[in-house]
Amino acid sequence: MRKIGHYLGNIAGAILAFALYITLQLFYFTPQRIHLGNMRVFVTALVTVIILFVIAYLYRGQLKENNLWGFNESPHWDSSRVLTALIGFVLIIVSSAMMLKFVGGGVSENQESLNKIAEHNEGLFRIMVVFIAPFCEELIFRGMFFNIFFTKPTKINKWLGIAASGFLFAYMHDPTFSKFILVYWVLGIILAWVYMQTKDIRYSMLVHMCYNGMGFI
C-alpha cells in the first residue's frame, strides 16, 4: 500500500510540474492576455523563479526517496560526461536534419504555432524556448519520467525508458500524430540517452538548450 501511495504521489508531482510549466508558458507566449501593467516584468520574473524552483524541488524530492540509478550525484562535471553531451548535440543536429528529410520536409503544426507567437513576442519567446522550456521539459520528460516508470537500473529498463521517454516528448510536441512525431521522437530519444549516459539532468538540459538556441542563429 505504501508503494502504491509513493507511486501515485510521484505521478501527482509530475502532473503538477507539467501544469505549472503550461501556466508559465502563458506569461511568455501570450503576455497580452495577462493584464499586469507596469508590473508585468517583475511578476513574470517572480512567477518564473517560483515555478522553476518548485519543479526542481519536486524532482529532487523524488530522487531523495528512490535513486537506484544514481542520478545527479556529485561530482556533477567531468570530461567524459561533457564529451557525451557534445556527442548528443552533434547527434541531435544531424538526426533532426535527416529525419526532416525522411518525412519529406515541411514545418510541424507545433513549429508553425511557435513561429506565429514569435512574430508578436520575440524577446520573451526566446527566453522561454532557449532556457525555460529545456529546463522544465528535461526535469519532467526525463527526470521525473524515469523516477516514476523505470526506477530499477537494468539494461532493458534503460533502453525501454529511453524509447518511452522519447515518445512522450514527441507526443507532447505533436499530439496530432502527424509525420513530424517521428522527428520529435528521435530528438527525445537522444536527449533521454544523454541523461541516461551521464546520469545528470544538467547535460540533457544543456544539449536541449543549445539545440533550441540554434534556431535563432
Side-chain angles (χ1 to χ4, degrees):
M1 199 70 185
R2 189 178 176 184
K3 257 188 177 180
I4 295 174
H6 171 76
Y7 180 73
L8 292 176
N10 281 348
I11 291 177
I15 292 171
L16 173 61
F18 186 71
L20 289 172
Y21 172 45
I22 295 300
T23 301
L24 189 56
Q25 287 183 350
L26 297 176
F27 286 83
Y28 287 84
F29 288 163
T30 56
Q32 62 276 8
R33 292 185 182 179
I34 304 172
H35 306 288
L36 298 171
N38 296 330
M39 296 291 288
R40 177 177 291 171
V41 174
F42 173 76
V43 173
T44 299
L46 181 63
V47 170
T48 300
V49 170
I50 292 171
I51 288 180
L52 295 187
F53 174 81
V54 171
I55 294 174
Y57 178 81
L58 290 170
Y59 169 66
R60 287 196 301 267
Q62 290 179 350
L63 289 184
K64 285 179 181 177
E65 292 177 8
N66 186 9
N67 187 16
L68 298 177
W69 286 101
F71 290 129
N72 284 25
E73 292 183 352
S74 299
H76 299 294
W77 303 101
D78 61 63
S79 57
S80 64
R81 288 192 282 188
V82 170
L83 180 60
T84 298
L86 286 172
I87 292 170
F89 179 65
V90 172
L91 282 174
I92 210 168
I93 293 294
V94 173
S95 298
S96 63
M98 289 176 64
M99 288 304 297
L100 277 172
K101 191 172 183 180
F102 175 75
V103 300
V107 180
S108 68
E109 189 175 311
N110 176 68
Q111 190 58 51
E112 283 182 351
S113 300
L114 290 175
N115 291 342
K116 288 178 183 177
I117 293 169
E119 290 175 6
H120 304 288
N121 193 32
E122 189 174 350
L124 288 176
F125 174 81
R126 289 190 179 194
I127 295 171
M128 169 57 73
V129 170
V130 177
F131 298 106
I132 297 173
F135 181 90
C136 295
E137 290 178 7
E138 291 309 307
L139 286 172
I140 296 167
F141 298 132
R142 249 64 67 184
M144 293 184 181
F145 181 83
F146 274 92
N147 291 346
I148 295 169
F149 299 108
F150 296 92
T151 56
K152 292 183 180 179
T154 64
K155 266 193 177 179
I156 192 167
N157 270 357
K158 175 183 177 179
W159 293 107
L160 277 178
I162 286 172
S165 168
F167 183 77
L168 178 62
F169 176 79
Y171 174 73
M172 289 302 177
H173 285 78
D174 187 15
T176 60
F177 286 98
S178 74
K179 62 183 181 180
F180 295 102
I181 198 168
L182 295 174
V183 181
Y184 288 116
W185 194 359
V186 170
L187 301 184
I189 284 173
I190 294 170
L191 290 168
W193 174 80
V194 170
Y195 178 54
M196 293 306 293
Q197 286 298 111
T198 61
K199 299 292 191 299
D200 199 307
I201 201 75
R202 294 164 180 81
Y203 293 94
S204 58
M205 278 183 187
L206 281 173
V207 174
H208 199 159
M209 288 176 183
C210 289
Y211 176 72
N212 283 9
M214 288 290 289
F216 298 103
I217 295 176

